[in-house]
């Protein structure tokens, strides 16, 4: 490997020794010549630990392990352990020699579709931010706005300018879904998708889609960082996405946030005009978001304890406006999903009901079958199904007041309905035993977006 | 105290139930603990697999094989190998989240008391070892951690050659393959082999064979799961 290849492979990275595929004598030499610089992976001050790879500082997410190499007991980071265990005796290596410029692609975008007016407006703004190397812009797009297409002109512009671009998302599902679409839209550009279990692992492409975890191997690598937060709940309370994204981008770089439910901190910065932003309040098919309806059920907790759907649910179910639609039911826990599915299957024997949850091995297959309308009712938990779109469903939440359903989650769940131009509406019903602030806020937020989109 | 699996903050709830309900792991929050199932129903008396028959077809196959005078008296397994268990084992053993092993301590000890109380106090726990290569990669042996949970002396007296992955071989090949284990000292007491999983039983039988060959009076096994 010559200097050019070394730089391509290692510039912008932060790696453990075994992730660097260079033999020991050569590596020794590169270290002495300051091509690489090392730092201790876990820093400890007054028995307070910080993982330099993932930013973890939470005491419960550090463990103790007798080190096989040093013969001592060490602290190790439990938070980023999926990326290989980092211990007190581990070093992180960073490329500190000048890096090589990336090529310019004059007309990279091969997508031939058309943007709606609202999409075009947001897209133009993103292009200008990238050209001006401005710090950031938030794109507040309603669920179903067609956010991916909005990015194409901006990505195209960045590639023309010889920039390196990354789309970051908390979920591997999203990487898998976006990769083929991007490869089609930029057919002449080498694009890598990085997630746990992806075939490509080296992260050497100019245009990349990566999960938060994979981003932990980068440092000052990207000129344009696109952070897809639409699917971020339940990760909104996890600090690793902002941490990883902040470190992976270059000092002078443009960050583009994509979100349907901006976080508190972002809302405040927008209100104070500290965060440039653009709205896309209309779904690409031009119809408003369905507004959730509340159904009070007094004996909800008792019913759910017996895994029994509340009476109000059946009443609603049998009088749906469009009984032919499939039904997506959200429940707060995995156990409830399983048990409730059995009850539902017994009671509603005319419909086929299945449950799917995060650690379900048949998850992708079941989701695919549901999408193909091979069965009628899918019961699931919040952990799942944000990236996933079904053409024609009604949506019900059982126990919408449960703490797992925060405002962002509720808005996302409501956003599952009415996704297709041929069936752009859908019922969204929250079954609850007491309205929560999150429920009220979710409805307010949806109504506000619809108003902004010109619907009254 | 935080749940070792989901990191939820656990408020300690002291009641007679929690004090006496020793079979439940206490390092997990209740919803996480609920996902692990302790084997309770009828099982094969030889290998602990869930079975209505006294001896399962697998174990009849072992018994029928004339080439083997089965060196393993029996195996007792604690948990069923469900999805939650698979994920926890993977994180503990392959990712190397050492302290997650504590989750199994209580149940492993309880199972020992239930199944092996007849053994004398001289009995020793012998962990199934890793090869040097594996040990170098992972940094710890999960079986050693389990052995140390038991109220017995742990004798780490087996060593293991690095060999290709077991799963790539057929059962016949696994049985007839060269024994990967060696003994560093002999043991004249009954032995309980400690390991995380009983899959085909060939690993444990290879280890048991070496022990018996060097004069060990009886070899049992206690595994976390019956795969
Ligand atoms: Zn970490
Ligand atoms: Zn837990
Ligand atoms: Zn058996």
């Amino acid at each position: 490997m010559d200097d050019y290849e070394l730089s391509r492979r290692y510039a912008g990275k932060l790696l453990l020794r075994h992730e660097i595929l260079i033999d020991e004598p050569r590596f020794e030499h590169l270290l002495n010549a300051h091509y690489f610089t090392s730092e201790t992976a876990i820093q400890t001050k007054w028995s307070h630990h910080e993982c330099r790879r993932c930013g973890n500082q939470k005491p419960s997410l550090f463990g103790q392990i007798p080190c096989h190499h040093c013969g001592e007991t060490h602290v190790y980071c439990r938070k980023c352990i999926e990326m290989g265990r980092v211990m007190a005796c581990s070093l992180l290596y960073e490329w500190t020699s000048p890096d090589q410029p990336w090529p310019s692609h004059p007309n990279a975008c091969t997508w031939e579709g058309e943007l709606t007016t609202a999409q075009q407006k947001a897209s133009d703004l993103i292009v200008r931010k990238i050209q001006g190397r401005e710090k950031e812009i938030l794109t507040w797009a309603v669920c179903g706005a067609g956010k991916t297409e909005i990015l194409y002109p901006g990505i195209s512009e960045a590639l023309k300018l010889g920039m390196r671009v990354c789309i970051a998302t908390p979920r591997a599902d999203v990487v898998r879904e976006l990769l083929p679409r991007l490869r089609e839209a930029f057919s002449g550009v080498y694009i890598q998708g990085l997630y746990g279990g992806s075939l490509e692992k080296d992260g050497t492409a100019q245009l990349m889609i990566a999960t938060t975890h994979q981003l932990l191997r980068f440092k000052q690598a990207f000129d344009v960082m696109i952070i897809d937060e639409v699917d971020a709940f339940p990760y909104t309370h996890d600090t690793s996405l902002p941490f990883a994204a902040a470190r992976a981008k270059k000092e002078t770089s443009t960050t583009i946030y994509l979100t349907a439910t901006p976080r508190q901190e972002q809302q405040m910065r927008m209100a104070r005009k500290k965060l440039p932003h653009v709205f896309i309040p209309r779904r690409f098919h031009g119809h408003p978001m369905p507004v959730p309806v509340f159904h009070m059920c007094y004996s909800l907790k008792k019913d759910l304890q017996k895994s029994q759907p509340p009476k109000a649910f059946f009443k609603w179910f049998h009088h749906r406006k469009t009984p032919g639609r499939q039904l997506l039911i959200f429940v707060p826990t995995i156990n409830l999903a399983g048990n409730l599915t059995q009850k539902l299957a017994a009671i509603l024997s005319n419909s086929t009901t299945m449950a799917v949850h995060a650690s379900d091995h048949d998850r992708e297959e079941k989701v695919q079958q549901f999408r193909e309308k091979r069965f009628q009712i899918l019961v699931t938990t919040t952990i799942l199904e944000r990236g996933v779109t079904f053409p024609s469903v009604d949506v019900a939440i059982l126990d919408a007041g449960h703490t797992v359903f925060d405002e962002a989650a509720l808005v996302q769940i409501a956003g599952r309905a009415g996704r297709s131009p041929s069936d752009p509406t859908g019922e969204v019903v929250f079954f609850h035993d007491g309205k929560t602030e999150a429920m009220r806020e979710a409805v307010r937020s949806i109504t506000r977006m619809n108003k902004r989109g010109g619907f009254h | 105290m935080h749940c070792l699996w989901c990191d939820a903050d656990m408020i300690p709830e002291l009641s007679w139930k929690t004090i006496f309900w020793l079979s439940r792991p206490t390092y997990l929050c209740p919803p996480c603990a609920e996902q692990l199932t302790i084997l309770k129903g009828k099982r094969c008396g030889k290998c602990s697999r869930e079975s209505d028959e006294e001896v399962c077809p697998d174990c009849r196959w072992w018994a029928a094989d004339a080439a083997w005078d089965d060196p393993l008296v029996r195996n007792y397994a604690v948990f069923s190998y469900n999805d939650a268990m698979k994920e926890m084992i993977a994180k503990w053993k392959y990712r190397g989240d050492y302290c997650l092993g504590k989750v199994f301590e209580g149940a492993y000890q309880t199972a020992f008391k239930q199944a092996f109380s007849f053994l004398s106090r001289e009995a020793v726990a012998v962990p199934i070892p890793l090869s040097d290569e594996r040990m170098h990669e992972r940094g710890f042996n999960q079986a050693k951690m389990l052995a140390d949970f038991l109220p017995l002396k742990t004798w780490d007296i087996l060593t293991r050659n690095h060999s290709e992955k077991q799963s790539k071989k057929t059962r016949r090949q696994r049985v007839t393959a060269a024994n990967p284990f060696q003994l560093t000292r002999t043991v004249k007491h009954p032995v309980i082999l400690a390991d995380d999983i009983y899959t085909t039983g060939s690993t444990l039988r290879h280890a048991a064979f070496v022990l018996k060959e060097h004069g060990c009076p009886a070899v049992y096994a206690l595994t976390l799961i019956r795969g």
Side-chain angles (χ1 to χ4, degrees):
Chain A
M1 248 190 268
D2 57 16
D3 280 12
Y4 177 81
E5 270 180 72
L6 280 174
S7 158
R8 266 289 165 273
R9 189 165 282 270
Y10 298 115
K13 300 275 179 64
L14 191 66
L15 299 172
L16 291 166
R17 177 65 186 93
H18 72 85
E19 294 167 331
I20 300 170
L21 309 172
I22 300 173
D23 59 39
E24 198 50 42
R26 177 95 197 273
F27 188 68
E28 199 74 23
H29 166 77
L30 290 168
L31 256 183
N32 291 334
H34 303 290
Y35 280 79
F36 285 100
T37 311
S38 69
E39 69 169 322
T40 312
I42 293 180
Q43 298 193 341
T44 302
K45 255 187 219 149
W46 309 106
S47 76
H48 172 90
H49 309 297
E50 185 189 345
C51 173
R52 301 293 294 164
R53 181 167 64 176
C54 72
N56 171 30
Q57 300 190 31
K58 199 174 173 193
S60 64
L61 293 178
F62 287 98
Q64 302 271 340
I65 181 169
C67 179
H68 181 59
H69 309 286
C70 313
E72 283 171 39
T73 295
H74 286 327
V75 65
Y76 70 97
C77 180
R78 302 187 63 220
K79 187 163 184 189
C80 60
I81 201 159
E82 292 296 325
M83 305 287 291
R85 187 180 52 218
V86 156
M87 308 199 270
C89 64
S90 314
L91 294 173
L92 290 168
Y93 296 94
E94 176 189 347
W95 179 260
T96 40
S97 168
D99 44 349
Q100 309 288 334
W102 291 89
S104 155
H105 305 262
N107 278 306
C109 189
T110 46
W111 184 66
E112 284 168 349
E114 244 177 77
L115 297 176
T116 64
T117 319
Q119 285 177 321
Q120 189 68 52
K121 193 182 136 216
S123 172
D124 290 347
L125 205 56
I126 290 172
V127 169
R128 283 206 297 282
K129 295 280 167 192
I130 291 171
Q131 285 168 336
R133 290 179 159 71
E134 285 176 58
K135 199 169 157 242
E136 55 192 354
I137 177 169
L138 182 139
T139 307
W140 187 344
V142 66
C143 297
K147 56 180 168 122
T148 310
E149 291 78 7
I150 295 165
L151 297 171
Y152 291 165
I155 294 173
S156 190
E157 184 64 22
L159 292 173
K160 190 164 99 190
L161 296 168
M163 290 176 168
R164 198 174 186 199
V165 181
C166 180
I167 302 177
T169 166
R171 290 154 47 83
D173 292 1
V174 177
V175 179
R176 280 193 292 262
E177 196 207 294
L178 277 185
L179 192 58
R181 289 172 69 188
L182 273 186
R183 283 188 173 148
E184 215 182 304
F186 296 88
S187 56
V189 181
Y190 178 48
I191 307 172
Q192 281 183 337
L194 300 186
Y195 53 90
S198 61
L199 292 175
E200 299 140 328
K201 288 220 178 287
D202 63 358
T204 51
Q206 188 170 359
L207 176 53
M208 294 205 323
I209 316 171
T211 57
T212 316
H213 266 115
Q214 299 297 321
L215 269 194
L216 294 176
R217 292 205 178 107
F218 291 86
K219 182 172 178 180
Q220 298 198 10
F222 302 102
D223 304 280
V224 175
M225 177 65 81
I226 299 161
I227 303 179
D228 182 2
E229 291 191 319
V230 169
D231 304 280
F233 100 86
Y235 302 85
T236 35
H237 304 293
D238 186 351
T239 49
S240 38
L241 178 60
F243 174 88
R247 186 176 60 198
K249 66 192 183 196
K250 286 184 184 159
E251 257 162 65
T252 312
S253 57
T254 306
T255 305
I256 298 154
Y257 300 99
L258 291 179
T259 178
T261 44
R263 284 175 278 127
Q264 192 80 44
E265 171 261 332
Q266 292 168 328
Q267 302 239 22
M268 270 158 50
R269 285 173 61 212
M270 283 190 279
R272 279 195 253 117
K273 302 218 178 338
K274 289 274 162 60
L275 178 59
H277 56 278
V278 57
F279 287 108
I280 310 174
R282 264 178 187 259
R283 300 183 132 188
F284 79 96
H285 56 46
H287 294 265
M289 275 268 288
V291 180
V293 171
F294 296 167
H295 269 310
M296 176 75 182
C297 323
Y298 291 98
S299 61
L300 186 70
K301 289 268 163 12
K302 245 202 237 154
D303 290 341
L304 293 184
Q305 231 158 45
K306 291 178 277 179
S307 306
Q308 182 74 38
K311 276 206 186 87
F313 168 80
F314 290 108
K315 211 172 138 198
W316 168 75
F317 180 82
H318 292 300
H319 296 92
R320 287 195 294 161
K321 287 167 213 143
T322 317
R325 264 188 213 133
Q326 287 172 289
L327 175 61
L328 197 53
I329 302 176
F330 286 86
V331 295
T333 65
I334 293 179
N335 277 343
L336 186 57
N339 298 340
L340 195 103
T341 301
Q342 288 177 10
K343 283 269 163 72
L344 274 176
I347 300 168
L348 305 173
S349 50
N350 289 332
S351 319
T352 317
T353 306
M354 288 218 222
V356 69
H357 56 83
S359 49
D360 196 331
H361 289 296
D362 308 323
R363 165 179 156 185
E364 274 171 56
E365 202 185 318
K366 284 186 194 164
V367 167
Q368 192 51 37
Q369 286 181 359
F370 189 63
R371 200 178 280 144
E372 289 163 6
K373 306 200 177 174
R374 303 252 289 274
F375 63 99
Q376 287 79 42
I377 304 175
L378 182 64
V379 184
T380 185
T381 57
T382 54
I383 327 198
L384 198 66
E385 314 315 4
R386 257 116 291 116
V388 193
T389 316
F390 304 107
S392 176
V393 290
D394 283 331
V395 178
I397 305 182
L398 299 185
D399 200 5
H402 194 284
T403 47
V404 300
F405 299 114
D406 61 10
E407 182 203 335
L410 294 169
V411 172
Q412 287 293 340
I413 288 171
R416 297 307 100 198
R419 292 301 279 263
S420 140
S422 58
D423 185 15
T425 57
E427 292 184 58
V428 178
V429 186
F430 292 178
F431 293 92
H432 67 97
D433 58 359
K435 271 180 230 169
T436 58
E437 197 45 38
M439 288 164 61
R440 286 196 201 95
E441 264 312 312
V443 169
R444 254 177 247 148
S445 154
I446 290 169
T447 323
R448 226 182 298 138
M449 265 320 230
N450 282 344
K451 242 185 208 152
R452 215 168 238 150
F455 306 102
H456 295 284
Chain B
M1 190 67 196
H2 290 251
C3 171
L4 274 178
W5 184 243
C6 74
D7 198 42
D9 206 345
M10 295 189 288
I11 299 116
E13 177 196 328
L14 263 190
S15 69
W16 291 112
K17 203 168 150 195
T18 47
I19 292 167
F20 287 112
W21 204 8
L22 292 169
S23 61
R24 282 277 161 176
T26 46
Y27 291 96
L28 295 176
C29 71
C32 289
E34 240 174 69
Q35 292 183 49
L36 300 185
T37 348
I38 290 184
L39 288 171
K40 283 224 169 73
K42 283 192 181 163
R43 54 173 93 185
C44 166
K46 187 88 182 159
C47 74
S48 232
R49 173 201 250 182
E50 288 180 290
S51 163
D52 282 333
E53 297 168 276
E54 222 132 277
V55 177
C56 76
D58 248 29
C59 291
R60 285 205 300 272
W61 183 88
W62 281 114
D65 198 323
W68 277 81
D69 187 10
D70 196 343
L72 189 68
V73 181
R74 72 188 180 101
N75 173 63
Y76 190 83
V78 189
F79 292 101
S80 83
Y81 202 24
N82 60 12
D83 288 349
M85 193 65 182
K86 276 178 198 159
E87 278 181 50
M88 277 189 204
I89 294 278
K91 194 170 184 210
W92 175 46
K93 175 171 152 181
Y94 299 118
R95 301 274 86 79
D97 193 359
Y98 182 82
C99 61
L100 192 57
K102 279 186 228 154
V103 156
F104 308 121
E105 183 174 7
Y108 198 68
Q109 287 170 342
T110 307
F112 171 79
K113 276 177 218 143
Q114 275 167 6
F116 296 108
S117 50
F118 62 88
L119 285 175
S120 73
R121 286 224 294 273
E122 262 84 69
V124 295
V126 175
I128 295 296
L130 298 177
S131 65
D132 288 347
E133 283 91 336
R134 284 273 170 280
M135 191 64 187
H136 187 81
E137 260 169 45
R138 295 194 196 147
F140 75 98
N141 177 7
Q142 76 283 353
K144 167 82 163 45
M145 203 170 172
L146 290 172
D148 287 340
F149 289 152
L150 299 180
L152 302 174
K153 286 201 185 76
T154 299
W155 284 16
D156 204 352
I157 53 174
L158 287 168
T159 57
R160 181 185 204 155
N161 299 332
H162 194 59
S163 65
E164 58 191 295
K165 273 221 167 106
Q166 284 277 321
S167 48
K168 286 191 186 131
K169 298 181 192 166
T170 64
R171 179 154 69 181
R172 169 53 61 182
Q173 283 170 325
R174 271 181 243 185
V175 179
T176 52
N179 195 321
F181 297 109
Q182 302 87 35
L183 208 55
T184 56
R185 60 171 289 194
T186 57
V187 48
K188 302 290 178 214
H189 308 294
V191 158
I192 291 191
L193 289 167
D195 205 0
D196 52 335
I197 186 165
Y198 180 112
T199 312
T200 62
S202 57
T203 303
L204 289 164
R205 283 182 171 85
H206 273 306
F209 184 83
V210 177
L211 286 160
K212 294 270 291 188
E213 203 181 31
H214 292 85
C216 174
V219 184
Y220 307 85
L222 179 56
T223 60
L224 214 48
I225 43 200
R226 171 66 172 94

